[in-house]
Structures are given as C-alpha cells and as structure tokens.
Amino acid sequence: MSALSTSPAPDARPGRIKTALASAAGTCVENYDFVAYGTAAALYFGDAFFPDSDPVVGTLLAFVTLGVGFLMRPIGGALGGYLGDRYGRKPVLVGALLTMGVATVLIGLLPTYQQVGVVAPVLLVAIRCVQGLAFGAEWGGAVMMTYEHAPRRRRGLYAAIPQAGNPLGIALANIAFLLSASLDGDWAWRLPFLASSLLIVVGLVVRMKLSESPEFETAKAEGGTVRNPLAAVLRDDWRNILRIIALRVVESCAYYLTATYLLSYITDRDPDDRSVALAGVVIASLLAVATTVLSGALTDRVGRRPVYLVGCLLAVAFGIPMYMMANTGAPALIVLVFLIAIGVIHAALTGTQAAWFAELFRTGTRTSGASLGYQTAASVAGFAPFIAVLLADSFGWWGPAGFYVGVAVIGLVGVLVTRETWGPAQRAVPDVGTLATLDGLPAQQGSRSDMPQKRP
C-alpha cells in the first residue's frame, strides 16, 4: 500500500471530543470490570472459592485465577487488532464492551465453593478467560479511534483521555468495594460485580453513537487496508512489538504489584488497615485521572520519550521506599504510597503510551501492532502478584520490592531502544489546510515502519 496519504486539517475532524470521551467511558467500564476481579481476588476469593487451602495457598490460587485472565489478553488483543484493522475500530469497541459486561455480571452470580464444590472455581476461571479476551480486544480500538480523530499537534492529549478511563474505572471499582465492605456474607463482593451492569448500559449507548475513524475510512477508500494485518505487523514490525512489551511491562507490573499485591500485603499485616489501603487506591486513582491527561498533554510539548523516561526513573527510585512506608502502618504513609505509585508514576506512563505506541505503526496495522505488544506485556503482569507472594515468602518484603525495581529497569531499557515519534523535527512541521503525512503521521526518516509497503 502507499504510505503517503492526505489528512484533513488538524482541527477539522468532527466529533473528536465526543470520540475521546466515549472511548474513555468504555475504557472506564472495562477497567472497572477487570480490576474489580483483582480487588476481589486480593480480599475475598481465597475464602469464597478455595476455602480448604491454608491462607497462603488460598491467596496464591486466587492470584492464579487473576493471572489466567491476563493470559487471554494477547489473544483478545490479536483478535481485536485484526478486526479493527480489517473492518473498523467501532465494531470492536462495542463488541468488546458487551462481552466484558456479560462476563462481569456472571461473576457476581457465581455459586461459591461451599455451595457447589470444585465447580465454583472452574466456572470462575472460565468466565475470567472471557473477561481477558474482551479486555484485550478493547484497548486498541479505544485509543486508536481517539488518536485518529485527534488534531495532529494534540494527539498526545487526546489519546491520553481514554487512558484516563483506566484509573477512573479503578477508582469506581474500589469505591464499590468500600461501600459494600459492611454488607453481610458474599454480598460484600457480589454487589460490585452486579453494579457494573449500570455502567455497561451507559458505555454501550455512548459508543454506539460514534463515527468510524477517519484515518481508517481514508485507508479503506484508498485500498490501504491489509488483508491480514496481524501477519503483516508480525512480519514487518516485530521489533516495535518487542519494544512496546518492554515499555509496557514496567507500567503494568508496577500497577498490579501496588494495587493488588501491596493491598493484600497491607491487609495481611493488619486487617484493620484494609479500609485505609482501599481508600488510598481510590484517592490515588482519582489523582491519576488528572495526571494521565496532563502527561499526555506534556508529551505534545516535549515529546513522548522524556515523559516516559522520568516515569521509569521514579519507579526505580520508589521500589524500596514504598515498602518501608507501608511497613510503618501509619495511615497517612499508606495513602501516600498509593498516591505516588498510582497517582504519579503509573499515570505518567499510561498518559504517554497511547500516542507513542500508535505512532510506531502504519494505519493499516496500527491496532494489531499496538494491541499485541500492549496485551502481551499485560499477560506477564497478570502473574506479578503471584510472583510477589512467592518472593515475599522467601525474602520478605525485599523480594517484591526488588521485583518492582527490576521491571522498572526493563522499562528504562525499552525507552532507550525505542525511537522518539514526536521530537523537535516532527513538531516543527507546520500545520496547513491539508497536511501530507505518512499514514496520517508526520513523516519520520529512517523508520522501517514508515517505508512504503506493498499490499499483501
């Protein structure tokens, strides 16, 4: 296909704000559903589905089922990316959200181990797999729809808006668990899952009204779509997929080592600190909504790499102090741990990812490439709490602290080997009525992804 195409004026794309907010609304719902499972696994599922085990084994088994959903995310990402690049972004957004919603409500209706025995954890794992598929398919469509509707010079900001739906969904999920904590029996964990049905209806209504990505429509009209985008991106852009995995591992692992494992760690040390830790996650997640958007806007001014580099350096520096602060048991320090780890470090990374990852690929394979790298890293991160439990059992809190620092170092390596896509040269290109671009992106010399490609 021809790599050169003509895009509308940077500020002339209709519905860009509505698209960004609709994508964020759906991403919020998806994260509420997916993260609700992580919270329930940390606080309730060990007793509800694995009661015959000792406490450590029960927690491990609960985190294993958490990880199973993550294993399905690369498959969901590959499927959603293929369909998004082949047939359009919008159908994937609607289908993924509906699938996730049904799976989440079913978790709220599941019988426990005491009621049906081993059937209960089997059903839990099966539904968790469906959740993983849906969540893996959703991300690429949401951020690419927003990115491709956005003005050229503000794509970092606009692409960060769906990412801000991540911490908002996390906050809502934890608020739901805080409100349900006083309920008797299983209702303490069932109600948050059942309540997601209200969010799903809102998300579906909003997303159904979206228009298709203008860049996808242009590529389709010009014969720029690829017959097998997944095969094409694996053949031509596998190096960028590996780079995204390295960049994404630090963000995803660091989050689950904090919001899931550290939450469980603090609760196990002192059950009375459960509400404090949950409150810390909620406050930090609300802060992260603003930090995510601000980070995306900052990348439009200084580039993608510098912001990500600072986030990784902060993660390296904070890995050990976060446990020293948590070990004090002081409520203020516990809350501060989550504010720094989630509200600042994690948010700075997520706010940068969408635009940077999108700009590493051509329009015809963009959703497939970004989704595959993003969700493959997530599949690794899903087992981070499980690994942290094993490390803590052998080395105490130094084990998970060192693990946190280790994934941050991997992220630093990713930054060093990934090219800047919005540096001074790209920012210097003037905005005109029509802008000749490489697949909708400012021309960048020397990139394998930007060279003209024949249609398979």
Side-chain angles (χ1 to χ4, degrees), residues 86-104:
R86 190 77 176 90
Y87 302 106
R89 318 317 194 197
K90 179 179 175 178
V92 176
L93 292 184
V94 175
L97 184 59
L98 181 61
T99 303
M100 173 65 93
V102 171
T104 301

Side-chain angles (χ1 to χ4, degrees), residues 254-440:
Y255 174 78
Y256 284 100
L257 286 173
T258 306
T260 300
Y261 173 73
L262 190 60
L263 177 64
S264 176
Y265 172 83
I266 291 171
T267 300
D268 289 343
R269 281 176 54 88
D270 187 350
D272 292 337
D273 287 336
R274 174 183 294 182
S275 295
V276 174
L278 277 173
V281 173
V282 170
I283 297 170
S285 298
L286 293 174
L287 172 62
V289 174
T291 307
T292 300
V293 176
L294 290 174
S295 297
L298 183 60
T299 69
D300 288 330
R301 293 181 175 271
V302 304
R304 320 301 186 202
R305 290 183 75 188
V307 179
Y308 216 87
L309 177 63
V310 171
C312 290
L313 289 173
L314 288 175
V316 171
F318 191 59
I320 293 175
M322 69 188 297
Y323 280 88
M324 297 175 68
M325 294 165 65
N327 287 339
T328 65
L333 290 180
I334 290 175
V335 172
L336 185 60
V337 164
F338 291 109
L339 286 175
I340 296 173
I342 297 175
V344 177
I345 296 174
H346 180 258
L349 299 175
T350 56
T352 307
Q353 286 174 351
W356 197 9
F357 294 177
E359 289 164 354
L360 294 173
F361 302 94
R362 303 184 305 276
T363 301
T365 57
R366 179 176 292 152
T367 310
S368 297
S371 294
L372 192 57
Y374 189 93
Q375 302 301 348
T376 299
S379 69
V380 175
F383 289 93
F386 177 85
I387 296 172
V389 171
L390 295 178
L391 291 172
D393 192 49
S394 299
F395 305 103
W397 64 268
W398 286 95
F403 186 21
Y404 187 99
V405 173
V407 296
V409 171
I410 293 174
L412 281 175
V413 174
V415 173
L416 295 177
V417 300
T418 305
R419 64 183 172 88
E420 174 63 85
T421 58
W422 190 241
Q426 291 81 28
R427 297 198 299 274
V429 175
D431 292 334
V432 293
T434 56
L435 178 68
T437 66
L438 232 65
D439 279 318

